Amino acid sequence: MEKIYSKINGQLLHQIVRYDDIVSNRTDLSSEETYLQCAALKLPKGQTFKPHKHNINPRHDENYIPQESWCVIKGKVQCIFYDIDDTIIAEPILSAGDASFTFAGGHNYLILEDDTFVYEYKTGPYYGQKIDKTFI
């Protein structure tokens, strides 16, 4: 796992997880403090879990910031990650099975191969570009 920290204040901004990083049944990929929660599960045939549902749990956090993850299924993607002062801090390349996480700071992506397929995950709700985005 590659963690990318701000050069300004030391805050964890971005994280890269490679497919080969996942070696156990469950690997938590984000800390409990982040809004975007993710774990990688490498499970044997027949594995099951207790049926469950998630409870409504109203939260109020004045420091809330949307967070985003890309999981590459096929192809290659170059990430362009920005520090909190909008300077480029890292430009890793993701391949199939790799994932990126942006907890803070800016990001952009360059698709390097035709027919690249990516799952994108974001915390919500999404209120549109005028409210949720600032372009760099």
Side-chain angles (χ1 to χ4, degrees):
M1 235 179 296
E2 178 184 350
K3 295 184 177 188
I4 301 162
Y5 294 90
S6 172
K7 292 179 181 177
I8 309 299
N9 66 6
Q11 174 186 11
L12 176 61
L13 302 178
H14 311 280
Q15 183 171 296
I16 299 296
V17 178
R18 306 287 179 190
Y19 177 78
D20 293 337
D21 290 339
I22 311 306
V23 294
S24 62
N25 287 0
R26 180 186 177 101
T27 304
D28 289 328
L29 303 179
S30 55
S31 72
E32 292 178 355
E33 295 80 35
T34 61
Y35 299 106
L36 184 62
Q37 295 291 293
C38 187
L41 306 175
K42 197 178 247 187
L43 305 169
K45 180 180 178 179
Q47 174 76 47
T48 189
F49 306 92
K50 284 186 175 183
H52 67 283
K53 59 185 179 180
H54 296 264
N55 302 326
I56 294 174
N57 187 356
R59 295 174 170 95
H60 173 73
D61 187 340
E62 60 191 41
N63 295 314
Y64 173 80
I65 182 172
Q67 298 177 341
E68 183 174 319
S69 176
W70 274 38
C71 181
V72 178
I73 304 304
K74 177 185 173 198
K76 288 191 184 229
V77 175
Q78 181 176 14
C79 304
I80 300 95
F81 290 143
Y82 295 82
D83 205 328
I84 59 174
D85 66 353
D86 298 340
T87 59
I88 294 174
I89 194 167
E91 298 183 75
I93 294 175
L94 304 180
S95 299
D98 297 343
S100 70
F101 297 85
T102 293
F103 302 116
H107 59 269
N108 190 12
Y109 301 98
L110 174 63
I111 306 307
L112 299 177
E113 294 182 356
D114 284 335
D115 298 319
T116 292
F117 183 80
V118 174
Y119 285 119
E120 176 187 72
Y121 302 90
K122 291 189 265 190
T123 53
Y126 180 64
Y127 296 113
Q129 287 185 356
K130 287 184 180 181
I131 294 174
D132 281 352
K133 288 186 180 180
T134 299
F135 292 102
I136 299 171

